[in-house]
Amino acid sequence: MGYLQHPVSEDRPVRIGLIGAGWIGSFHAESVAHRIPNARLEAIADPALSAVEALAGRLGVAKISSDPADVLNDPDVDAVLVAAPARFHSGLIAAAAQAGKPSFCEKPGGRTVEELDGALDAAAAAGVIVQFGFNRRYSSDFAAARRLIDDGAIGTPQLLRSLTRDPGNLDGIANPERIPPGTIFLETLIHDFDTLNWLNPGAVPLRVHAVADALVAPEAKAGGLLDTAVVTVTYSNGAIAVAEANFNALYGYDVRGEVFGSAGMVTAGGPQASTAMSYTAAGISAATVRLNVDLFHDAYTAELAHFVDCVKADRDGIQAPAALAAGGTDARNALAVALAASQSVQTGLPVDVATIAVLRPAEPALHTVGDEA
């Protein structure tokens, strides 16, 4: 009767081209080179060629350039990792799509919804994968919290909380005048907005009210710095969420989440480096984490590994892994909340998210047995 064709995965790795050799780009490059077995770092590009040379030398990468177009046009590059500054994100996603290449992009996906929509349209037209770097979805404790919510353990979400407190020191923020206006919403709290959206499946944010100030570095407020913020978000299912951020937590890097529901509560995160505690005459203490790449080391690696698996599955015509990744709808929803929060601070008034963008749920609504009444 003759053989039937059965799809099998190819042995060759997914060849990644990195655009952006800064702090997070370098960490992602190390993950691709050393921590993800079915990936290979093929090329690196960044206008700061000295940074590229240093990173490539450390990781043994032969192809380097100061021009991202070299990575985008390289036929040996299977997918692009975008770790450039945020103002370039949408353009690089679109350019990668036009080159037929999937992309993993750090947050935010764009500075405006219109920018992001243009990039997503380009990706859809090209039929390529786009994943965004919302790493908390891949942190074991946050992922466990989401599973409990899916299983109905806490009933229907009613109150949610997410916080990010960046590590600091007694000297305060170094060079606060160099922090672009809006960073606290577009670069920091956007993680919290995605987390809140993700932990409230099937709902979309409707209204945002934010207050923010420069409490850590008040001398930089005139230049647009906001280093402390609290944001409330009202959702389409009635749930109310609070997100907060501060740029100078003396005790370490503190990221936490909490969801209170009709049947209970789940929490995730914290600044502790481990569960080990010391009990001495000085009191009770625990070591804390000081860097994002330490607190979320495994999550950063897992999100990239998931992207590589999806690209490989698409290339080889096999079943893709179960969806955890933040896609275009997730990135768009988080960005809309960030932009609404920024506008709310400027006006002092709540902002209807629909005035920023018309949103749709990223996934089906949560159905919890026993909550119908």
Side-chain angles (χ1 to χ4, degrees), residues 19-32:
I19 300 176
W23 166 258
I24 195 61
S26 295
F27 182 82
H28 284 323
E30 291 167 3
S31 293
V32 173

Side-chain angles (χ1 to χ4, degrees), residues 65-344:
S65 176
S66 61
D67 186 355
D70 290 330
V71 167
L72 295 169
N73 297 324
D74 186 344
D76 293 331
V77 169
D78 298 315
V80 177
L81 200 169
V82 178
R87 64 185 181 276
F88 301 115
H89 286 183
S90 290
L92 289 170
I93 293 169
Q98 289 160 8
K101 301 184 192 302
S103 58
F104 177 98
C105 183
E106 269 301 333
K107 48 71 194 168
R111 295 169 300 175
T112 68
V113 173
E114 293 75 19
E115 258 188 20
L116 178 55
D117 282 347
L120 297 176
D121 288 345
V128 296
I129 296 164
V130 182
Q131 182 179 323
F132 294 89
F134 291 112
N135 57 66
R136 292 180 201 181
R137 294 169 177 241
Y138 292 87
S139 178
S140 59
D141 48 357
F142 279 89
R146 172 59 198 260
R147 287 193 295 273
L148 288 168
I149 292 168
D150 288 343
D151 291 343
I154 66 158
T156 299
Q158 296 174 345
L159 295 171
L160 300 91
R161 184 183 182 216
S162 182
L163 67 84
T164 299
R165 295 174 186 163
D166 288 342
N169 55 64
L170 290 171
D171 294 328
I173 302 170
N175 303 311
E177 70 283 352
R178 296 176 59 184
I179 299 174
T183 293
I184 198 164
F185 299 119
L186 285 173
E187 300 275 356
T188 301
L189 277 166
I190 198 165
H191 274 298
D192 299 87
F193 300 147
D194 177 69
T195 299
L196 294 170
N197 293 345
W198 182 59
L199 294 179
N200 192 18
V204 294
L206 296 181
R207 178 169 287 196
V208 173
H209 190 196
V211 291
D213 207 339
L215 302 183
V216 181
E219 72 281 1
K221 184 177 181 180
L225 176 71
L226 297 172
D227 55 40
T228 306
V230 177
V231 183
T232 59
V233 184
T234 305
Y235 282 89
S236 56
N237 64 349
I240 303 168
V242 176
E244 68 167 79
N246 183 279
F247 285 171
N248 198 53
L250 299 186
Y251 58 88
Y253 188 42
D254 190 0
V255 172
R256 283 178 273 157
E258 175 183 295
V259 183
F260 173 87
S262 58
M265 181 179 74
V266 63
T267 64
Q272 293 87 352
S274 74
T275 57
M277 303 281 291
S278 68
Y279 296 76
T280 69
I284 302 172
S285 65
T288 58
V289 174
R290 298 284 163 167
L291 295 174
N292 58 341
V293 293
D294 291 332
L295 185 64
F296 289 113
H297 181 282
D298 293 344
Y300 276 123
T301 305
E303 66 177 355
L304 265 184
H306 181 88
F307 172 69
V308 168
D309 287 344
C310 289
V311 172
K312 196 171 193 298
D314 187 60
R315 182 193 71 190
D316 299 347
I318 61 176
Q319 182 67 39
L324 272 176
T329 301
D330 300 293
R332 196 174 185 274
N333 290 354
L335 177 60
V337 176
L339 294 171
S342 182
Q343 183 176 315
S344 178

